[in-house]
Amino acid sequence: QWAVLESLLLSMEVDQPTAIVGKTGVGKTEVLRYLYAQLRLPLLEQAFHADTREQEIFGSVTIKSGEGGKVGYQASPLALAAEHGLGYVGDEVLSSKSEVRESWNALSEGSELRLPSRPPRVLRKNADKPSERIHPRHRMHLTTNPGKQGFTEAEATRFTIIACPEAREFKELEALIRRDFACDAKEASQCARLMVDLRALQMEKGGNSKTPITTRILAAFMSLYVELRQNAPAIVAAERAMALTIANKLDPELRTGC
């Protein structure tokens, strides 16, 4: 994941929107959360789906609850991020309709963001008034699966496309475990070896070595590891026995990823 982090940092430095592409569970959003946590910057997240509407992206005028039926502008995560200098990530953006995504072309081009408030407001990169300016610290990120429906040619020119591969090697697993599960170096090294053993066990049973070790599988593994460490320390000491025990306890759906 270090190459992904490096690409993200370079794109953020030049204020270029990014699109992280990878299979479900490889940690696309997690790597952004980690980066923003290390930089001590806030990050707003928004999930996209087939029914996502423009109002959800830019905000809408609505009746505000608790204010006596008063009508006002309800800001969206993207609008808040652009105005106040926050990071923004749109998760699984390609699941939304292309015509909906086209509505933010002006923002991804780096020029302006139109907010449907009353009266309407337009935020621009280099506006003279701070109240009309896209905050200079705002950064925009998208995540998506590498499915059949890819980015349009226009979208691909506006975003830096970053591939997020699944972790396969021992050192990558070790680094992920230390980062996400607060393990010390010794425990992280043992867990990474166990994950490699699990992959070998599945191969012995005719499993697919190309199936990714996803964040879901890693979380399930670590949960079982902690449980066994607390209740059966003798098994933890014998790594092969530990791998066999965890392999048998993993849900069938998750076993295929090991």
Side-chain angles (χ1 to χ4, degrees):
Q1 304 281 10
W2 301 116
V4 177
L5 286 169
E6 183 180 22
S7 297
L8 281 169
L9 282 168
L10 288 171
S11 296
M12 290 171 69
E13 181 68 23
V14 297
D15 195 9
Q16 175 70 22
T18 59
I20 304 178
V21 180
K23 296 177 181 178
T24 300
V26 297
K28 300 185 294 292
T29 307
E30 283 299 324
V31 76
L32 282 166
R33 290 172 183 159
Y34 172 78
L35 177 59
Y36 272 78
Q38 294 303 306
L39 296 174
R40 297 182 181 179
L41 295 173
L43 178 69
L44 295 184
E45 300 177 27
Q46 184 174 20
F48 279 70
H49 48 80
D51 297 321
T52 297
R53 300 171 300 166
E54 286 189 30
Q55 295 95 313
E56 296 172 65
I57 301 174
F58 301 104
S60 60
V61 175
T62 184
I63 298 175
K64 293 190 173 182
S65 60
E67 298 188 20
K70 183 179 178 182
V71 175
Y73 173 66
Q74 183 68 46
S76 65
L78 177 59
L80 289 171
E83 189 166 11
H84 298 288
L86 314 177
Y88 169 84
V89 53
D91 275 324
E92 304 301 346
V93 69
L94 287 184
S95 61
S96 62
K97 296 181 175 66
S98 59
E99 57 266 27
V100 172
R101 302 199 308 272
E102 286 174 4
S103 60
W104 65 18
N105 284 351
L107 176 63
S108 60
E109 287 172 347
S111 53
E112 64 182 31
L113 174 62
R114 294 184 175 273
L115 304 179
S117 54
R118 289 187 177 178
R121 295 175 60 206
V122 180
L123 302 181
R124 293 186 172 87
K125 282 271 177 143
N126 301 312
D128 294 330
K129 296 181 181 179
S131 61
E132 298 174 356
R133 189 181 306 152
I134 294 174
H135 199 287
R137 282 203 306 268
H138 167 62
R139 296 295 183 269
M140 182 180 184
H141 313 281
L142 308 177
T143 72
T144 187
N145 277 293
K148 293 180 180 179
Q149 180 192 4
F151 286 106
T152 65
E153 185 176 347
E155 287 172 331
T157 61
R158 296 187 184 105
F159 291 89
T160 296
I161 309 296
I162 301 172
C164 186
E166 60 268 18
R168 294 184 188 274
E169 302 300 327
F170 170 82
K171 286 295 183 184
E172 288 181 284
L173 288 170
E174 187 180 36
L176 281 173
I177 291 166
R178 290 196 69 179
R179 186 192 78 189
D180 294 343
F181 298 96
C183 291
D184 60 25
K186 183 178 178 181
E187 273 194 327
S189 180
Q190 182 186 33
C191 288
R193 285 197 301 273
L194 286 167
M195 289 297 291
V196 173
D197 284 346
L198 277 171
R199 175 59 64 86
L201 283 170
Q202 289 305 112
M203 285 299 294
E204 289 173 14
K205 298 176 183 179
N208 184 358
S209 66
K210 295 183 179 179
T211 303
I213 297 175
T214 65
T215 51
R216 185 181 173 208
I217 291 168
L218 195 54
F221 169 86
M222 291 304 297
S223 176
L224 289 168
Y225 172 83
V226 171
E227 178 187 327
L228 287 171
R229 185 183 60 188
Q230 293 172 345
N231 301 322
I235 294 179
V236 175
E239 292 189 358
R240 179 72 173 184
M242 180 76 161
L244 282 166
T245 304
I246 290 179
N248 290 329
K249 281 178 172 284
L250 279 174
D251 292 335
E253 181 186 352
L254 298 180
R255 287 182 199 167
T256 58
C258 296

